[in-house]
Amino acid sequence: MDISSERLTSAEKDPRTRLAFEKALTEYNQGRLISAEAKCLEIIKKDPKHFDAVQMLGIIAYQNRKLDIAVVFFAKAVGIEPENARAQYNLGRAFLEYGKLEEAEICYRKALQIEPRYAEALNDLGQVVLLLGSTDEAERNYQ
């Protein structure tokens, strides 16, 4: 199970910001994470609430095992789009890897409130509640 970059798009209205994010996305997709990160940092300097750039920074930090930084960026993404199930899931995943099980549980439950059939969130919630000692609930989540 890994962080989701499925939603990363360039639906920005400002053509310059859209082009900048498209370049960052291309760099990311080609595995040039340092370049993608630099481009996203430039974007959020101009637009601190650019959801996709913030989300990508969280994904890059997570992939580089910089979990404390990933949590910061994913939390910021959730603050920008609190009803985004993927953002909630990614924050939960970073918390899980960071060992913050209660926080991960909260994020997975929020993701499932938004998108009740979110398989990855259901699976990870089952894992978290099992680790927290609730075997009955874990079993229900895995069914």
Side-chain angles (χ1 to χ4, degrees):
M1 200 58 55
D2 206 352
I3 291 293
S4 173
S5 59
E6 180 179 296
R7 184 184 180 278
L8 294 177
T9 63
S10 58
E12 181 63 38
K13 293 175 185 164
D14 176 11
R16 288 174 296 193
T17 305
R18 182 177 51 246
L19 180 60
F21 186 75
E22 285 173 358
K23 288 179 181 178
L25 187 58
T26 297
E27 295 293 307
Y28 174 82
N29 287 333
Q30 293 177 352
R32 294 191 290 267
L33 301 184
I34 293 171
S35 177
E37 179 181 42
K39 289 179 183 347
C40 286
L41 287 170
E42 288 177 29
I43 292 167
I44 67 167
K45 279 182 188 173
K46 295 175 186 169
D47 181 3
K49 293 189 176 197
H50 191 284
F51 175 83
D52 291 321
V54 171
Q55 184 83 330
M56 185 183 290
L57 287 166
I59 291 167
I60 292 168
Y62 179 90
Q63 290 174 337
N64 287 319
R65 306 306 299 159
K66 296 177 181 176
L67 299 175
D68 53 338
I69 296 170
V71 165
V72 169
F73 282 118
F74 288 141
K76 185 172 181 173
V78 165
I80 296 167
E81 288 191 20
E83 295 303 311
N84 185 302
R86 287 259 171 222
Q88 295 285 354
Y89 171 79
N90 286 347
L91 179 57
R93 188 68 196 174
F95 275 136
L96 175 61
E97 293 295 319
Y98 203 50
K100 296 188 175 213
L101 301 179
E102 292 84 5
E103 291 89 341
E105 179 183 11
I106 291 166
C107 294
Y108 293 141
R109 291 189 189 283
K110 287 180 182 176
L112 289 165
Q113 285 175 342
I114 298 163
E115 195 176 313
R117 295 181 185 256
Y118 195 157
E120 293 93 343
L122 276 169
N123 183 58
D124 284 6
L125 177 60
Q127 180 183 354
V128 167
V129 296
L130 183 61
L131 290 169
L132 290 171
S134 180
T135 54
D136 291 340
E137 184 178 358
E139 187 175 310
R140 284 192 305 273
N141 286 326
Y142 282 122
Q143 292 178 347

